Amino acid sequence: AFTPNGDGENDIYLPSIVGAIEYEFIIFSRWGDVVFRTTNTSEGWNGNDQNVGSMLPVGVYTFTIHVRDINMQVANKKGYITLFR
């Protein structure tokens, strides 16, 4: 869970990824709409639509992460993020 409320603490959801040569992080609303997507391991989600649009509502969001590391090993992960304000 994270709390993007502008207090400077826990305002960005950013997975910890090390050694990736290929990376994609996608967050979906409960209706399946993509609300955030990045291929930059240092860019996290701020709780807004595509990080620049309107603030998204409190709730549970689904994410997928695709990583290929320097050894060409592939990892695909799915999970949930709870957004609180």
Side-chain angles (χ1 to χ4, degrees):
F2 78 120
T3 57
N5 57 11
D7 68 357
E9 294 183 27
N10 203 24
D11 286 336
I12 302 290
Y13 186 86
L14 178 63
S16 179
I17 305 294
V18 178
I21 60 170
E22 186 177 304
Y23 170 78
E24 185 175 39
F25 177 41
I26 305 171
I27 300 175
F28 303 90
S29 71
R30 66 179 178 170
W31 299 280
D33 297 322
V34 174
V35 298
F36 178 72
R37 176 181 301 196
T38 188
T39 57
N40 181 345
T41 58
S42 62
E43 180 183 19
W45 183 41
N46 68 9
N48 293 352
D49 190 15
Q50 302 303 325
N51 271 7
V52 294
S54 60
M55 290 180 8
L56 293 168
V58 168
V60 177
Y61 294 80
T62 305
F63 72 85
T64 62
I65 297 175
H66 168 81
V67 176
R68 182 181 312 266
D69 69 17
I70 58 176
N71 297 317
M72 302 308 284
Q73 299 295 312
V74 174
N76 293 298
K77 303 291 181 183
K78 295 180 181 183
Y80 302 96
I81 303 165
T82 302
L83 185 154
F84 294 109
R85 293 225 186 252

